[in-house]
Amino acid sequence: YGHTDKKDQPRVPITARLVADLLTTAGADRVLTMDLHAGQIQGFFNIPVDELTALPTLARHFREKELPNLVVVATDVGAARRARDMARLLGAPVAIVDKERSGNKDRVEALNLIGEVQERTALIVDDELVTGGTMFAAADILVKRGAREVYACCTHGVLSTGTIERLSNSSIKELIITDTLPITDGKLHPKISVLSVAPLLGEAIHRIHGGLSVGAMFE
């Protein structure tokens, strides 16, 4: 329900608020979450909410790979802040894909690219991968604009039906996801690498129960 944070058409409920009320009514007195699709959902709760991010874990992986001439790419303007945060961790510039969806379907037509990717290694950053339409369209335009290689990463690998096949046929060399969602055998692929966020969650839970600062983990 992380996508249902606002009314985008008439007679549509804001279900994220309902879920927040359900959790609170059920007795929860604190929420610990990871990379919300819409950060404003934190304000739907009347109890403390701690939002962790997997960006430092993902950034550490790419620092160790020492990719040459790196540029971090946002899949759209809405993802620009996440891309800037990643770029800051990696010491790289940012590019943004200007996209447009066709109707109400998941098909994406990437129209333009803001930034320079010629002869660079591109790293696409997003919070989740569901159908892959946005990410794979972005990868295609990066290759057309002269990117040498395209990598991608996201926190939540939803990987709905057909996404693995589309990944196989995409321009992406490697996709890095975390284990916030179970990765079943049907979602394994040679292009996919999975990083664990268990140490991050464990440290946050330890700090919450010990009365320590959770935000200090990312300073």
Side-chain angles (χ1 to χ4, degrees):
Y1 302 104
H3 288 264
T4 57
D5 60 297
K6 59 183 178 295
K7 291 176 71 70
D8 54 5
Q9 53 187 321
R11 299 180 182 178
V12 170
I14 304 178
T15 316
R17 176 56 197 263
L18 171 62
V19 172
D21 289 342
L22 288 172
L23 289 172
T24 305
T25 303
D29 56 16
R30 190 160 182 163
V31 173
L32 178 64
T33 187
M34 177 83 68
D35 281 328
L36 287 167
H37 183 70
Q40 62 265 28
I41 289 176
Q42 296 178 69
F44 293 179
F45 290 87
N46 294 318
I47 54 178
V49 178
D50 297 291
E51 183 188 9
L52 306 182
T53 177
L55 280 184
T57 302
L58 296 167
R60 191 180 310 117
H61 173 86
F62 287 103
R63 274 199 302 268
E64 292 171 354
K65 292 181 75 71
E66 298 182 347
L67 298 174
N69 209 13
L70 186 66
V71 58
V72 177
V73 181
T75 52
D76 56 28
V77 175
R81 180 177 178 180
R82 192 181 308 273
R84 280 196 296 268
D85 290 343
M86 176 65 91
R88 194 175 298 113
L89 291 171
L90 295 174
V94 176
I96 302 173
V97 174
D98 177 26
K99 71 173 185 181
E100 183 175 295
R101 291 191 182 275
S102 298
N104 292 323
K105 300 179 180 179
D106 286 325
R107 189 159 58 93
V108 175
E109 295 177 359
L111 301 179
N112 203 0
L113 180 66
I114 304 167
E116 182 56 54
V117 300
Q118 182 77 29
E119 294 299 316
R120 288 181 173 271
T121 302
L123 170 59
I124 300 173
V125 178
D126 213 341
D127 64 315
E128 63 182 12
L129 180 61
V130 184
T131 65
T134 298
M135 183 176 286
F136 301 151
D140 288 342
I141 194 174
L142 290 170
V143 171
K144 290 176 182 177
R145 294 298 180 89
R148 296 173 57 187
E149 291 180 326
V150 179
Y151 292 79
C153 66
C154 67
T155 302
H156 311 296
V158 182
L159 305 177
S160 61
T161 303
T163 306
I164 297 298
E165 182 180 351
R166 288 190 289 272
L167 173 64
S168 298
N169 299 322
S170 75
S171 306
I172 293 174
K173 182 175 181 179
E174 183 183 23
L175 169 66
I176 309 299
I177 61 178
T178 75
D179 58 356
T180 55
L181 295 170
I183 307 301
T184 59
D185 291 342
K187 294 182 179 180
L188 295 176
H189 187 276
K191 284 189 176 184
I192 296 179
S193 298
V194 182
L195 304 180
S196 177
V197 292
L200 191 62
L201 289 168
E203 176 65 18
I205 293 170
H206 167 73
R207 286 171 175 265
I208 288 171
H209 284 277
L212 304 173
S213 170
V214 174
M217 294 170 55
F218 303 102
E219 294 177 355

